[in-house]
Amino acid sequence: MSVIKTVTVCINRRASPDTPSCGARGGEEIAAALQAAVAERGLPISVETFHCLGRCEQGPNLKLSPGGEFLHDVHLEDLPQLLDRIAAFAKD
């Protein structure tokens, strides 16, 4: 039985605009772009969103599962390199 690999993207938006949050820093846009790119490449990865990975000060954040590796300070312009890393993760 193979394990479904998942990339979880934090989309949390904190109530105070003065408090850092992944959603306010582009988490939703990253999740949407990542979902489209994973589908386009046909990668066997599930892309999910979550409302707090507990590390918004370092965000936007992604979590690779299984394994639990976190990727911090992710931006849309990082998507090409990120997709290469996710493709390698899918093969592991």
Side-chain angles (χ1 to χ4, degrees):
M1 177 172 83
S2 65
V3 175
I4 296 174
K5 300 206 175 175
T6 305
V7 177
T8 304
V9 182
C10 181
I11 59 167
N12 186 43
R13 284 191 177 268
R14 293 187 173 167
S16 170
D18 297 328
T19 306
S21 66
C22 293
R25 291 179 175 169
E28 291 104 341
E29 294 83 3
I30 292 165
L34 192 55
Q35 287 171 334
V38 163
E40 182 178 305
R41 285 195 181 191
L43 297 174
I45 295 283
S46 171
V47 178
E48 300 177 354
T49 57
F50 196 73
H51 283 280
C52 193
L53 294 174
R55 299 178 181 205
C56 281
E57 292 79 15
Q58 297 171 297
N61 297 292
L62 281 68
K63 182 179 179 186
L64 306 180
S65 299
E69 179 183 2
F70 279 90
L71 306 176
H72 306 290
D73 196 29
V74 176
H75 302 280
L76 280 174
E77 58 269 13
D78 300 329
L79 199 57
Q81 298 91 340
L82 181 60
L83 282 169
D84 291 341
R85 187 165 183 179
I86 289 170
F89 170 67
K91 292 178 185 177
D92 288 344

